């Protein structure tokens, strides 16, 4: 196996301080060592590299060509070291409760495995869950009352990228019949609602009339109304259940567009191990 030189980040840190204009004495004070110890660090570095990194003339210190070549590498190595140290620092995972939000489509069907895995990885982190409509979740992330949320994709500065894209489907009670010329009875959220808009626009494009027979602020309310046979709703396949079917083809209803969901992250530039790990688990669960 070829010899691999392992550069000491402490030595590189002293090298960078001197390269940035500090004297040996100043660098020693900043790293908590004596000037002689820092001098020995630089001598060891030069011995390891097989070339001098500093040129000393009339009490002035300048980088040699070898030192200039080392400079960029040293900065990246020390930066990576510091980023890793921050990521695993105890306070990086202990910022208080992690507040997570999700739409009702995924709360029961897709998230139990994610939350179980998160609890194994971060047993000491208190996790709170808010299940709500997309617009409220995005507002909560923007307002700082939720740290991470799954919501319908929209043009928003906190949109962390598409998590998944799934088809919308017409959902009705199994055995439900509907005459081809009858207005389609709809069971929907109040506006604004992407599913409601897709249903109405799709029916209008197909020349089908509709009537709104039931509205509810909760997905459980919509599900109950559809199970009772009051009408048809539009959601993702996560709402399908033993008594509920995808009735679009059977009832001759128009095709629906897919709908995309994104992760929204509050203060994404601030490192937080628990939040970032939960986001990774969500991405893996939905993207395979």
């Amino acid at each position: 196996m070829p010899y691999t030189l392992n550069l000491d980040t402490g030595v590189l840190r002293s090298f960078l301080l001197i390269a940035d204009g500090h004297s040996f004495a100043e660098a020693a004070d900043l790293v908590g060592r004596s000037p002689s110890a820092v001098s020995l660090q630089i001598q060891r570095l030069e011995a390891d590299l097989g070339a001098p990194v500093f040129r000393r003339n009339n009490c002035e210190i300048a980088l040699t060509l070898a030192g200039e070549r080392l400079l960029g590498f040293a900065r990246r190595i020390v930066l990576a070291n510091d980023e890793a140290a921050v990521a695993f620092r105890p306070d990086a995972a202990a910022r208080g409760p992690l507040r997570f939000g999700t739409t009702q489509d995924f709360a029961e069907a897709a998230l139990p495995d994610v939350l179980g895995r998160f609890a194994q990885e971060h047993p000491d982190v208190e996790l709170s869950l808010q299940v709500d409509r997309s617009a409220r979740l995005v507002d909560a992330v923007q307002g700082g009352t939720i740290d991470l949320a799954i919501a319908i994709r929209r043009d928003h500065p906190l949109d962390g990228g598409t998590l998944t894209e799934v088809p919308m489907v017409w959902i009705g009670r199994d055995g439900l019949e509907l005459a081809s010329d009858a207005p389609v009875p709809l069971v929907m959220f109040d506006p604004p609602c992407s599913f409601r808009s897709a249903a109405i626009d799709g029916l209008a494009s197909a020349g089908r009339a509709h009537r709104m027979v039931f509205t509810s602020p909760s997905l459980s309310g919509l599900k109950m109304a559809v199970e009772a046979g009051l009408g048809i709703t539009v959601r993702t396949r996560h709402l399908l259940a033993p008594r509920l079917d995808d009735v679009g083809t059977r009832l001759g209803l128009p095709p629906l567009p897919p709908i995309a969901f994104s992760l929204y992250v509050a203060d994404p530039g601030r490192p937080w191990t628990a939040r970032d790990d939960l986001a990774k688990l969500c991405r893996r669960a939905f993207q395979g």
Side-chain angles (χ1 to χ4, degrees):
M1 173 181 266
Y3 170 71
T4 300
L5 175 64
N6 293 309
L7 298 174
D8 187 316
T9 54
V11 174
L12 293 178
R13 198 179 301 277
S14 296
F15 164 76
L16 288 173
L17 288 170
I18 298 168
D20 288 338
H22 294 282
S23 68
F24 272 70
E26 291 170 338
D29 185 58
L30 289 170
V31 299
R33 289 176 173 267
S34 67
S36 59
V38 170
S39 181
L40 287 173
Q41 283 185 323
I42 299 304
Q43 291 177 29
R44 190 179 78 189
L45 177 63
E46 292 176 329
D48 288 340
L49 295 175
V53 294
F54 291 117
R55 182 176 59 254
R56 301 166 179 84
N57 290 320
N58 299 323
C59 298
E60 292 183 354
I61 302 174
L63 287 169
T64 63
L65 291 177
E68 291 176 358
R69 289 200 304 273
L70 177 62
L71 189 60
F73 293 111
R75 292 196 194 283
R76 293 196 294 273
I77 292 170
V78 171
L79 177 60
N81 175 85
D82 292 349
E83 289 177 341
V86 168
F88 287 92
R89 202 169 56 200
D91 63 346
R95 294 180 178 273
L98 174 56
R99 302 161 299 179
F100 181 42
T102 181
T103 60
Q104 298 177 75
D105 299 81
F106 299 125
E108 296 180 8
L111 287 183
D113 289 343
V114 169
L115 299 181
R117 175 67 185 278
F118 178 81
Q120 292 176 356
E121 296 283 345
H122 296 278
D124 298 327
V125 174
E126 178 185 345
L127 183 66
S128 64
L129 178 65
Q130 177 176 331
V131 180
D132 213 328
R133 296 174 64 171
S134 285
R136 294 196 187 105
L137 292 174
V138 175
D139 288 345
V141 172
Q142 186 169 23
T145 58
I146 288 181
D147 303 302
L148 179 72
I150 298 174
I152 293 172
R153 185 181 65 194
R154 62 190 65 197
D155 185 13
H156 194 279
L158 295 180
D159 186 335
T162 300
L163 181 66
T164 185
E165 187 172 86
V166 293
M168 296 187 195
V169 294
W170 298 97
I171 298 177
R173 188 177 68 178
D174 53 4
L176 177 70
E177 299 295 335
L178 181 66
S180 60
D181 58 348
V184 178
L186 295 180
V187 174
M188 294 288 168
F189 283 155
D190 291 324
C193 172
S194 299
F195 294 96
R196 179 185 179 121
S197 298
I200 293 173
D201 292 346
L203 291 171
S205 298
R208 292 288 298 269
H210 74 275
R211 59 190 182 94
M212 201 63 60
V213 298
F214 185 89
T215 58
S216 172
S218 72
L219 195 61
S220 59
L222 298 187
K223 184 177 180 181
M224 179 178 61
V226 174
E227 287 177 338
L230 273 65
I232 300 168
T233 193
V234 169
R235 300 301 301 182
T236 69
R237 291 188 174 275
H238 294 96
L239 190 64
L240 294 176
R243 297 183 61 189
L244 301 179
D245 287 339
D246 177 353
V247 299
T249 301
R250 181 169 64 82
L251 298 181
L253 299 174
L256 294 164
I259 188 164
F261 291 83
S262 290
L263 274 176
Y264 293 82
V265 183
D267 197 6
R270 182 187 66 167
W272 186 0
T273 304
R275 180 203 62 197
D276 297 341
D277 282 355
L278 180 57
K280 289 177 185 176
L281 290 171
C282 289
R283 293 192 185 281
R284 289 175 185 172
F286 287 101
Q287 297 176 358

